[in-house]
Amino acid sequence: MRCRALSVTAAWGLALAAALAFPSATAAQDEPITLADDPFEVTDPHATPPGEAAYSIVGSYERAATGRVRSTWGAETELSYGVSPNLDLRIGQTGAYGNLDVRRRLGTVSTEVGGPGSEQERAALGGTTRLGALYQLTEESGSWPIVGLLGRVRSLYGPGGTAYETEATALFGKTLIAGERPLGVSLNIGTVHRFDPAPGERTTRYLVNASAGQALTRDTALVITYAREQQEKGQPDYSLAQAGVRHRLRDQRAILGAAVGFGLNRNTPQFQVALAVQWELGASK
């Protein structure tokens, strides 16, 4: 039933992408590439313009430092659609198969909770279904950054059962060096609230994601990211550093991304490889 949810989300996204594929999105293509976005664990504060859409697919492989199950394969899709100036709606689906105990960023409900000695005995399937909106509060002006607010509700499922969460995150972005090859930084600060937590689970958790991106050309950028999120009681924070590249294919109106990540503690994957494709589609001006 949950696998169907991933297929439905992907099908709706591809259907909308096909509907929007014929009009031109030249305005977005003429701007420098977005520095902070998939497959990096940071969210760009810009809202999708009205009448335009962005659809992304991310695939990842992670390797745990220890445990009986060390490999985890993950997939993620998200569709955003601009409904009014500075506001877009977002629907997404994530899934993973493997060691869910070190895949907490995915939001899965693992088999064991709360103990440092807990160890997953076999590979498991889990994921999330999420619905949310991003509202862009400000435009970047002078020394002031661009600011956005992201809110989501999500259903989590895994071998330990089903749970429900809300997320509220403040998004900041600032261009340090402008021009055709900009240098920019991004910061996400948020909190996650879980309804009716099980024993050993936290009711609220914090998250902090930060990134820096340097455009090499108008279509290629190097990106480094650090992601940190509080975990369940008795567990160290999720702590991951990433580095990689984003490259825009103008003819296909797509952006390709590749990132390599390294965990900074035992509760984070020892290493991670992530690939992403993002389509930016919209109406002609």
Side-chain angles (χ1 to χ4, degrees), residues 38-93:
D38 295 330
F40 299 92
E41 302 218 23
V42 66
T43 301
D44 182 70
H46 291 86
T48 306
E52 299 186 17
Y55 181 63
S56 62
I57 300 176
V58 182
S60 64
Y61 171 78
E62 298 178 347
R63 182 74 171 173
T66 60
R68 293 178 181 271
V69 180
R70 299 185 63 185
S71 295
T72 303
W73 297 90
E76 176 178 349
T77 65
E78 183 172 76
L79 170 69
S80 66
Y81 182 78
V83 295
S84 65
N86 301 323
L87 177 66
D88 68 43
L89 298 181
R90 302 184 173 213
I91 182 172
Q93 179 74 27

Side-chain angles (χ1 to χ4, degrees), residues 163-280:
Y164 301 93
E165 291 183 342
T166 61
E167 173 189 341
T169 304
L171 315 174
F172 304 91
K174 180 62 182 172
T175 302
L176 302 180
I177 300 177
E180 292 191 358
R181 293 182 291 178
L183 169 66
V185 294
S186 298
L187 177 66
N188 300 168
I189 302 175
T191 181
V192 178
H193 176 82
R194 177 167 293 185
F195 297 98
D196 193 20
E201 293 181 340
R202 296 182 186 273
T203 302
T204 59
R205 308 189 308 274
Y206 73 83
L207 64 90
V208 178
N209 304 329
S211 76
Q214 171 65 65
L216 303 180
T217 68
R218 294 184 68 85
D219 296 318
T220 304
L222 296 178
V223 183
I224 57 173
T225 300
Y226 175 70
R228 188 178 188 94
E229 183 173 338
Q230 192 174 28
Q231 301 301 280
E232 311 302 352
K233 297 177 181 178
Q235 297 180 349
D237 291 352
Y238 178 100
S239 182
L240 182 76
Q242 291 177 297
V245 64
R246 283 168 51 81
H247 178 70
R248 179 167 56 194
L249 303 176
R250 289 179 177 248
D251 292 341
Q252 286 74 33
R253 302 171 188 162
I255 296 177
L256 306 180
V260 177
F262 300 93
L264 304 182
N265 60 36
R266 292 168 60 87
N267 203 42
T268 308
Q270 186 178 31
F271 71 86
Q272 173 201 77
V273 178
L275 302 174
V277 183
Q278 182 181 47
W279 289 272
E280 297 178 335

Side-chain angles (χ1 to χ4, degrees), residues 96-200:
Y97 180 76
N99 187 341
L100 305 186
D101 287 335
V102 294
R103 182 100 180 139
R104 303 298 298 176
R105 286 281 300 169
L106 193 66
T108 54
V109 182
S110 61
T111 307
E112 303 287 349
V113 178
S118 300
E119 183 176 299
Q120 189 171 316
E121 296 292 332
R122 60 179 63 88
L125 178 67
T128 68
T129 301
R130 65 196 188 202
L131 178 66
L134 189 156
Y135 183 69
Q136 184 179 326
L137 294 174
T138 68
E139 292 284 355
E140 186 173 357
S141 177
S143 60
W144 292 97
I146 180 174
V147 180
L149 293 177
L150 174 65
R152 288 192 181 113
V153 293
R154 56 195 185 197
S155 172
L156 305 81
Y157 54 90
T162 302
Y164 301 93
E165 291 183 342
T166 61
E167 173 189 341
T169 304
L171 315 174
F172 304 91
K174 180 62 182 172
T175 302
L176 302 180
I177 300 177
E180 292 191 358
R181 293 182 291 178
L183 169 66
V185 294
S186 298
L187 177 66
N188 300 168
I189 302 175
T191 181
V192 178
H193 176 82
R194 177 167 293 185
F195 297 98
D196 193 20

